[in-house]
Amino acid sequence: MDRRIQKTRQLIMNTFLDLLAEKGFERITISDIAERANINRGTVYLHYVDKFDLLDKCIETYVELLLNHCANSADTNLSASAFQSVFEYLEKNFTIYKLLLSNEGVGFFRSRLYDIIAQTVTEVIGIKPENNAFSNGVTTHFLTSGFIGVLEWWINNSMPCNVQEITVQLMFLLEPYTKRLVSL
């Protein structure tokens, strides 16, 4: 992709995020974005259909960045190093993820993140369908909901404990459960 296009899209997205933090999604207009970015409204429309499209692209971008970070981590299992890597990344990028997780009208980010984590959990735990003791759906959604809940609590409360503490606590909570999964 042409560097000018990349720079313009990044300018629009950064401006959108600044306005999102200031005004909330409902009050943002394309005119606000164009004026703040010092570009024409037509330029915004050249890259994005409307503010909902811009929100979708923003969500996809930041979910992808988090996923790429996780994929580049050496460990992709339900392990301390995997959790620690996720929380370190979130700590480094705290402002943007707090905005996307807590801003009114942006529940789409949480929903998209939930879907991706649920898919990953399903792949990682790999419960055998012939085992009647556990249901893939129940197990996947239990682990995903718990992880998302902890992640939201940690972000929305401005990281009340450090990365090591949250990792240790998660592993303590998951230890009996992961042992059962391994034995399946």
Side-chain angles (χ1 to χ4, degrees), residues 46-76:
L46 182 64
H47 296 279
Y48 303 98
V49 174
D50 55 21
K51 72 178 186 176
F52 295 96
D53 182 43
L54 178 53
L55 176 62
D56 287 343
K57 298 295 189 296
C58 183
I59 288 167
E60 288 301 316
T61 296
Y62 285 97
V63 167
E64 283 297 316
L65 288 170
L66 179 59
L67 288 177
N68 289 341
H69 174 79
C70 294
N72 292 334
S73 297
D75 195 347
T76 57

Side-chain angles (χ1 to χ4, degrees), residues 19-62:
L19 288 166
L20 187 63
E22 289 173 27
K23 300 171 86 168
F25 181 73
E26 293 302 319
R27 294 181 53 217
I28 296 173
T29 66
I30 295 297
S31 294
D32 294 336
I33 297 166
E35 185 177 320
R36 176 78 61 93
N38 198 27
I39 58 177
N40 293 318
R41 282 173 32 113
T43 302
V44 178
Y45 286 119
L46 182 64
H47 296 279
Y48 303 98
V49 174
D50 55 21
K51 72 178 186 176
F52 295 96
D53 182 43
L54 178 53
L55 176 62
D56 287 343
K57 298 295 189 296
C58 183
I59 288 167
E60 288 301 316
T61 296
Y62 285 97

Side-chain angles (χ1 to χ4, degrees), residues 49-119:
V49 174
D50 55 21
K51 72 178 186 176
F52 295 96
D53 182 43
L54 178 53
L55 176 62
D56 287 343
K57 298 295 189 296
C58 183
I59 288 167
E60 288 301 316
T61 296
Y62 285 97
V63 167
E64 283 297 316
L65 288 170
L66 179 59
L67 288 177
N68 289 341
H69 174 79
C70 294
N72 292 334
S73 297
D75 195 347
T76 57
N77 291 317
L78 297 175
S79 68
S81 62
F83 285 123
Q84 184 167 337
S85 177
V86 168
F87 282 100
E88 285 171 349
Y89 179 81
L90 292 171
E91 183 179 48
K92 287 178 192 167
N93 299 283
F94 171 76
T95 305
I96 188 66
Y97 287 98
K98 179 166 178 134
L99 177 65
L100 292 173
L101 279 168
S102 65
N103 196 278
E104 90 181 52
V106 192
F108 306 114
F109 180 77
R110 184 193 191 282
S111 176
R112 179 74 175 114
L113 189 61
Y114 186 97
D115 291 343
I116 289 169
I117 291 174
Q119 178 183 352

